[in-house]
């Protein structure tokens, strides 16, 4: 290392060679880091974590006889008929996917109440059948069972036929 020629000059100076060595090292480090990040992203599974399709919906006694209850965050209606049995319907309209609402006041010819879509006017019976379009098909019926501890368990991932009812 050179001795400073006068006292005001700093003792250590950055040489041109040293500067370019550091610049090169930094560039190699940046490229290596970027490659490592890209490799990690490539090797990591591209998994979309979705909420579980099954959920507990409380005790049967939480639902009065002859009731239709929308569980808004699950987009499911839980229907309890006068006879006491249950079934569950998806609240997702089969036209373009809006969330339908329960209208207990019903309409002419269906005073028992209807399920109505606010988007384009589709109407469904309380069993999910299409009363008026444009919905092309009935609301999906999803599985409802009872857990060992006596709670209602709805599985939106399992579609069932109209014959599936839960007697409690
Ligand atoms: Fe329900 Fe269009 S989305 S009627």
């Amino acid at each position: 290392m050179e001795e400073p020629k006068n006292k005001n000059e700093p003792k250590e100076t950055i040489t041109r060679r040293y500067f370019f060595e550091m610049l090169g090292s930094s560039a190699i480090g940046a490229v290596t880091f970027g490659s490592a990040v890209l490799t990690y992203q490539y090797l990591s599974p591209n998994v979309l974590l979705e909420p579980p399709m099954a959920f507990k919906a409380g005790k049967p006694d939480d639902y009065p006889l002859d009731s239709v209850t929308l569980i808004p965050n699950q987009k499911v209606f839980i229907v309890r008929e006068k006879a006491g049995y249950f079934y569950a319907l998806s609240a997702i309209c089969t036209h373009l996917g809006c969330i339908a609402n329960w209208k207990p006041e019903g309409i002419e010819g269906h005073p028992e109440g209807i399920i109505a879509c606010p988007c384009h006017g589709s109407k469904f019976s309380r069993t999910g059948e299409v009363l008026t379009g444009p919905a092309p098909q009935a609301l999906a019926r999803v599985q409802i069972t009872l857990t060992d501890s006596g709670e209602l368990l709805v599985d939106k991932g399992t579609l069932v036929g109209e014959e599936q009812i839960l007697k409690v």
Side-chain angles (χ1 to χ4, degrees):
M1 185 175 297
E2 290 178 25
E3 283 293 317
K5 290 181 181 157
N6 72 44
K7 288 186 174 182
N8 294 335
E9 196 173 312
K11 287 185 177 178
E12 290 187 24
T13 57
I14 299 175
T15 64
R16 174 184 257 201
R17 179 185 182 135
Y18 178 74
F19 173 76
F20 282 111
E21 280 175 1
M22 292 308 293
L23 190 63
S25 298
S26 300
I28 290 170
V31 168
T32 304
F33 178 74
S35 300
V37 169
L38 289 176
T39 303
Y40 175 77
Q41 287 178 340
Y42 176 74
L43 294 177
S44 300
N46 244 347
V47 177
L48 180 63
L49 296 176
E50 293 184 359
M53 297 298 275
F55 67 96
K56 290 182 182 171
K59 299 280 187 186
D61 288 345
D62 296 340
Y63 298 88
L65 294 176
D66 195 20
S67 67
V68 179
T69 306
L70 174 64
I71 312 289
N73 60 336
Q74 299 291 346
K75 302 172 187 155
V76 164
F77 289 107
I78 295 182
V79 183
R80 187 171 195 188
E81 291 291 4
K82 286 180 191 153
Y85 64 84
F86 286 88
Y87 54 89
L89 298 171
S90 168
I92 299 172
C93 179
T94 55
H95 179 223
L96 292 176
C98 290
I99 304 305
N101 297 309
W102 170 239
K103 301 284 183 191
E105 66 275 13
I107 55 173
E108 193 177 328
H110 296 277
E112 71 281 5
I114 60 160
I115 295 169
C117 179
C119 292
H120 311 100
S122 289
K123 293 178 177 57
F124 305 88
S125 70
R126 64 188 284 152
T127 58
E129 296 161 17
V130 178
L131 300 175
T132 61
Q137 56 194 20
L139 296 175
R141 196 175 279 224
V142 297
Q143 188 178 61
I144 184 168
T145 54
L146 214 52
T147 65
D148 292 341
S149 59
E151 283 185 278
L152 296 172
L153 179 68
V154 178
D155 183 359
K156 297 181 288 184
T158 304
L159 301 182
V160 296
E162 272 187 34
E163 69 287 351
Q164 203 263 350
I165 57 171
L166 173 67
K167 293 178 182 170
V168 292

